[in-house]
Amino acid sequence: MRILLLTHAFNSLTQRLGAELSQRGHEISIEFDIADSVTEEAVALFRPQLIVAPYLRRAIPESVWSRNVCLIVHPGVVGDRGPSALDWAIQEGVSEWGVTVLQAEAEMDAGPIWASANFPMPLTKKSSVYRNEVTQAATAAVLQAVQRFESGDFLPQALATLADVQGRLRALMKQPQRSLDWQRDDSATVLRKIRAADGFPGVADRLFDQPCHLFDAWPETTLRGAPGEVIARRETALLRATVDGAVWIGHVKRPDGIKLPAALAFAAEAAALPQASLDGWWRSAAPTWQDIAYEEAGAVGFLHFEFYNGAMSSAQCRRLQAALAWAKQRPAQVLVLMGGGDFWSNGIHLNVIESASLSGASAADESWRNINAMNDLTLELLTTENQITVAALAGNTGAGGCFLARAADRVWAREAVMLNPHYKNMGNLYGSEYWTYSLARRLGEDAANAIMRERQPLTSRHALDIGLTDACVAGDVRAFHLEVARLAGELADPADWTATIAAKRETRARDEAAKPLAAYRAEELAQMRRNFYGFDPSYHVARHHFVRKSPASWTPRHLARHRELGWVTP
Ligand code: COA
């Protein structure tokens, strides 16, 4: 079928649905929900048999839903309606939640139901539930709804005819309903409220007596202070005491500012706080904020790096490089780079770079520092001689993050993961992280250039099929970790390990003799220098809009196939 995906943005859910539907032989085109007239034009051009709306912020115009079946993905259980579905579910601590695929009609979220899927609700932040459980359930429900639509003999069920409906109409959750009372709320309440507002809109609060929105909260179980007081800092996070303990605040947004690591957004105030450093890289036994954590099981070392949104600033890259260099001295024979639960890595930290320009420094200089720090980290991984290295992707990975992963000997990705192994969407960025070495080596020059040019997201299965990754592992994040540990244990088997290490050293030496890594880096950086310092400001403009979340004013041509020159609907 010809299916139009109508969406506010090409977010990871839209990417996943587009890829899954394409893999099942459907013809997919995408239009951003910019204005009613633009949607009407897209429908006229593409003449879809079905419209699927994975992520909308406004209603579909009647001119479109009255003539076409439009399936809306609602991140709530059957009967739930309203714009704050996940926020209420998290704040109220429900144990089960779900996704409903319903047909657009005049009344929002009240149309007939084509499919639904439920899941046990984890104790985590909204953005994480959306990227993991909601995306998985939405994919299952949309595929089922599309199949039912195609069969022609399925009658969607009107909400009013259903007995036993779990959900109900809920209003938009406003800031007063999210507000924190540091003199009364215990840590669990503070965590739940901030998690229900992550990554948007955050909880409006005050730090150091100044207004800001809070994001990215983590529990602390040992340090304490007077309730409401900011008592310490650790790297990029700030620790604030509650009535029964304390909570780490990872990110904040100040009025008219951008979302930043808390200790950077309040740099002067944070500098005056005591540093609550952890001792080395070992994973702390008690729950706390720890962005880099190492653990070992037998001959396998696991290096976790839980960087918010997968963004890696110069300082984070340098610290991760130090942790990796340290892990390389351990007796472990296999080193697994685990990344974080939601993202493995999304490359250089565009918000921290943008903040450099806001504080009067040079965004170009910070970009240059950041890409060099990413490259140093990538080199540390590429030149690991005494261990087999694995990048284990439990979460999505984009841009430079994909090529940092590809610098490992093996890349294993969870089946639900989306990979975006390209840079051009960020203002035609050329990219570095030794991609010209790692990608062509795996795929050949032509296929590598096609991936960069076409800028399509890849499912984990697709990435495996084309040889970008080495395994596609089914299951949720927990099951993935168990399987990764098992597979890594197999790699450490002495019968194969010695031969694998010998072959790896030989390949590296041969590649180095043919063309040194330093030459790849120099060539890539020559292009990046142009991106950062050259006449064409596209990268700086694109970064500004990305960080500021400027609304799109058109759908990129590589997504809107119906807008290609010469497009004719069959
Ligand atoms: N730096 C800073 N923030 C980043 C980031 C980066 N490199 N990559 C993603 N983010 C942030 C987004 O701004 C968003 O922030 P929010 O919490 O305020 O909403 C959050 O991470 C999630 O991003 P989103 O785009 O919603 O996630 P997604 O899973 O739908 O899409 C990508 C993933 C990778 C396609 C998309 O985030 C992207 O294009 N990122 C930029 C990658 C890049 O160009 N890096 C620089 C070159 S190495």
Side-chain angles (χ1 to χ4, degrees), residues 133-147:
E133 286 76 11
V134 167
T135 298
Q136 198 60 22
T139 304
V142 165
L143 291 177
Q144 186 176 44
V146 168
Q147 226 171 30

Side-chain angles (χ1 to χ4, degrees), residues 135-381:
T135 298
Q136 198 60 22
T139 304
V142 165
L143 291 177
Q144 186 176 44
V146 168
Q147 226 171 30
R148 287 173 167 173
F149 176 80
E150 205 173 13
S151 74
D153 58 12
F154 179 81
L155 266 187
Q157 292 171 294
L159 190 57
T161 64
L162 293 175
D164 207 18
V165 168
Q166 242 179 305
R168 64 190 168 99
L169 174 64
R170 310 284 320 239
L172 173 75
M173 187 183 279
K174 302 218 172 96
Q175 283 299 339
Q177 289 147 327
R178 304 184 189 273
S179 71
L180 300 170
D181 183 343
W182 291 92
Q183 304 307 318
R184 283 194 188 168
D185 289 345
D186 58 13
S187 297
T189 307
V190 171
L191 284 168
R192 203 171 55 244
K193 286 182 179 173
I194 299 178
R195 283 171 175 164
D198 214 320
F200 181 82
V203 173
D205 198 57
R206 298 180 78 80
L207 274 178
F208 307 106
D209 220 16
Q210 295 174 64
C212 61
H213 283 73
L214 311 181
F215 303 85
D216 185 24
W218 294 81
E220 167 62 44
T221 45
T222 50
L223 303 166
R224 304 201 57 158
E229 202 184 315
V230 184
I231 49 177
R233 65 171 292 189
R234 179 177 299 152
E235 304 301 340
T236 54
L238 300 176
L239 183 64
R240 190 165 188 187
T242 63
V243 288
D244 65 342
V247 166
W248 289 97
I249 307 295
H251 280 72
V252 304
K253 182 174 174 301
R254 297 181 68 170
D256 300 323
I258 57 177
K259 201 192 277 183
L260 284 175
L264 176 64
F266 286 102
E269 295 85 349
L273 291 169
Q275 263 275 13
S277 302
L278 289 169
D279 201 10
W281 303 112
W282 288 99
R283 182 186 275 294
S284 158
T288 188
W289 182 92
Q290 187 175 18
D291 58 349
I292 300 176
Y294 180 80
E295 54 192 347
E296 243 168 42
V300 183
F302 299 91
L303 187 58
H304 302 263
F305 39 106
E306 188 67 64
F307 297 139
Y308 189 69
N309 285 339
M312 294 168 62
S313 68
S314 311
Q316 286 164 322
C317 291
R318 299 253 173 258
R319 289 178 52 245
L320 185 55
Q321 187 190 347
L324 176 58
W326 173 85
K328 282 163 68 171
Q329 304 308 316
R330 297 281 315 155
Q333 289 177 306
V334 176
L335 274 183
V336 189
L337 276 72
M338 301 293 288
D342 291 345
F343 292 102
W344 196 82
S345 166
N346 279 330
I348 57 176
H349 201 313
L350 299 167
N351 289 43
V352 168
I353 292 169
E354 186 71 11
S355 83
S357 66
L358 299 177
S359 63
S362 156
D365 286 351
E366 188 50 42
S367 304
W368 184 253
R369 260 193 297 277
N370 204 161
I371 197 65
N372 275 288
M374 272 299 278
N375 281 354
D376 291 343
L377 169 62
T378 313
L379 187 63
E380 187 76 53
L381 184 55

Side-chain angles (χ1 to χ4, degrees), residues 13 17 50-54 69-79 98-104 109 111-117 134 137-146 148-149 154 156-157:
L13 172 59
L17 291 178
L50 181 64
I51 298 174
V52 175
V69 172
C70 301
L71 300 182
I72 309 276
V73 177
H74 176 72
V77 286
V78 170
V99 169
T100 309
V101 176
L102 39 85
Q103 189 167 335
D109 301 337
I113 293 158
W114 282 81
S116 64
V134 167
T139 304
V142 165
L143 291 177
Q144 186 176 44
V146 168
R148 287 173 167 173
F149 176 80
F154 179 81
Q157 292 171 294

Side-chain angles (χ1 to χ4, degrees), residues 468-530:
L468 179 66
T469 57
D470 305 287
C472 168
V473 180
D476 60 14
V477 173
R478 214 182 122 72
F480 177 74
H481 285 173
L482 290 173
E483 181 61 5
V484 163
R486 194 189 64 77
L487 291 170
E490 279 180 12
L491 274 184
D493 184 339
D496 300 327
W497 185 85
T498 312
T500 308
I501 286 285
K504 154 177 162 153
R505 286 185 189 152
E506 198 186 307
T507 307
R508 180 81 283 284
R510 202 179 48 233
D511 288 353
E512 190 66 18
K515 179 172 174 178
L517 285 173
Y520 288 98
R521 178 171 178 155
E523 286 166 11
E524 290 169 5
L525 286 181
Q527 299 279 352
M528 291 294 262
R529 187 176 274 285
R530 246 190 247 164

